[in-house]
């Protein structure tokens, strides 16, 4: 089976990379990771990639005068590895419209909130401040405007009394590690069609279960 050649871009510890490494270890998974690229030297994710025997590249954005020259090198690395699909996994650089457009419907991102709520940083702190009863995570196709783009998979988790941002982040992260492999499987397995900025999937639907938080019994 031809697997979709996938790059993972990151800036940090790489726990989402790990979930993708674990999923793609199955030879029947429709995607394979062909390179891991970090813009931060020494990022934890690079170590995880090396442990898994994956090629790694560091492109330190600080060595470039602006986004475009950085992205030129990034694009070259992706082309060298014959990458077909890009996964952003805690990649903390904004990408230019030019680069994003080059990867239209071929680049996906994971974000720790139920988009379109809480775009940007400090999602868990902001959710706690607002007193929402559910939050979660989203995997979406990347568009030029930050944290927008057609939604592929979401997971909701409850917010509990006494949660602090770390507790909530942990609960959401567990959900992220389920969502990202699922989204990659759906996209690489060509189970998606993006129509008018909406993703149609040929997947098993979630059950029509209502979630209440707090419970009423
Ligand atoms: C995750 O919470 C992800 O949603 C966000 O950045 C974090 C990366 O964590 N975009 P990790 O490096 O994958 O552990």
């Amino acid at each position: 089976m031809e697997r979709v050649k996938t790059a993972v871009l990151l800036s940090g510890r790489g726990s989402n990379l790990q979930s993708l490494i674990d999923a793609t270890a199955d030879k029947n998974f429709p995607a394979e990771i062909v390179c891991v690229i970090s813009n931060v030297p020494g990022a934890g994710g690079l170590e995880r990639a090396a442990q898994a025997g994956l090629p790694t590249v560091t492109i330190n954005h600080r060595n470039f005068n602006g986004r475009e020259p950085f992205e030129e090198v990034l694009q070259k690395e992706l082309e060298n590895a014959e990458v077909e699909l890009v996964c952003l996994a805690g990649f903390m650089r904004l990408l230019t419209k030019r680069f994003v457009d080059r990867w239209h419907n071929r680049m996906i991102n994971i974000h720790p909130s139920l988009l379109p709520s809480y775009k940007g940083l400090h999602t868990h702190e902001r959710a706690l401040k607002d007193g929402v009863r559910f939050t979660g995570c989203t995997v979406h196709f990347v568009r030029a405007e930050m944290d927008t783009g057609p939604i592929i998979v979401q997971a909701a988790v409850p917010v509990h009394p006494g949660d602090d941002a770390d507790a909530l982040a942990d609960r959401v992260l567990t959900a992220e590690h389920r969502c990202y492999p699922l989204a990659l499987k759906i996209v690489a397995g060509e189970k998606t069609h993006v129509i008018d900025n909406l993703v149609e999937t040929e997947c098993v639907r979630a059950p029509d279960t209502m979630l209440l938080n707090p419970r009423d019994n």
Side-chain angles (χ1 to χ4, degrees):
M1 184 187 62
E2 276 287 309
R3 307 213 282 162
V4 176
K5 293 188 176 65
T6 304
V8 181
L9 272 53
L10 51 75
S11 307
R13 72 194 151 173
S15 72
N16 278 290
L17 165 70
Q18 190 66 54
S19 75
L20 299 178
I21 289 173
D22 295 345
T24 53
D26 177 352
K27 293 280 170 275
N28 292 318
F29 195 89
E32 61 175 330
I33 301 173
V34 294
C35 76
V36 175
I37 301 178
S38 172
N39 68 311
V40 176
L46 291 169
E47 180 60 35
R48 292 181 194 263
Q51 289 263 332
L54 297 172
T56 62
V57 180
T58 301
I59 310 171
N60 186 346
H61 63 275
R62 290 172 196 273
N63 296 341
F64 295 86
N65 196 2
R67 292 186 198 278
E68 263 138 35
F70 166 76
E71 288 173 358
E72 283 306 313
V73 175
L74 178 57
Q75 178 68 22
K76 288 235 164 62
E77 290 293 346
L78 296 172
E79 282 169 12
N80 286 346
E82 297 180 352
V83 168
E84 299 165 288
L85 188 64
V86 174
C87 291
L88 306 181
F91 182 69
M92 301 305 283
R93 292 298 293 167
L94 291 177
L95 295 164
T96 63
K97 177 167 169 17
R98 184 160 172 259
F99 184 86
V100 170
D101 286 350
R102 265 178 164 171
W103 290 91
H104 189 78
N105 290 351
R106 297 189 299 145
M107 179 155 63
I108 65 179
N109 178 49
I110 187 154
H111 182 76
S113 76
L114 289 172
L115 291 173
S117 291
Y118 306 115
K119 295 173 182 170
L121 297 174
H122 309 299
T123 55
H124 307 307
E125 286 84 350
R126 286 154 58 209
L128 286 171
K129 218 176 194 173
D130 287 343
V132 295
R133 294 297 188 254
F134 290 98
T135 183
C137 60
T138 304
V139 183
H140 61 96
F141 285 106
V142 176
R143 294 292 183 260
E145 204 184 316
M146 190 184 63
D147 299 329
T148 62
I151 291 170
I152 306 159
V153 174
Q154 290 188 307
V157 302
V159 181
H160 292 313
D163 272 350
D164 60 13
D166 287 343
L168 197 51
D170 280 352
R171 198 171 305 124
V172 172
L173 199 61
T174 302
E176 292 185 38
H177 298 159
R178 294 272 305 274
C179 282
Y180 218 171
L182 173 60
L184 179 56
K185 188 170 146 190
I186 291 171
V187 173
E190 296 182 350
K191 302 265 187 256
T192 53
H193 312 276
V194 184
I195 300 164
D196 292 339
N197 225 35
L198 298 177
V199 174
E200 285 185 4
T201 54
E202 301 157 23
C203 298
V204 182
R205 298 169 26 160
D208 288 336
T209 322
M210 183 182 56
L211 298 172
L212 270 183
N213 184 27
R215 283 168 48 151
D216 57 358
N217 59 13

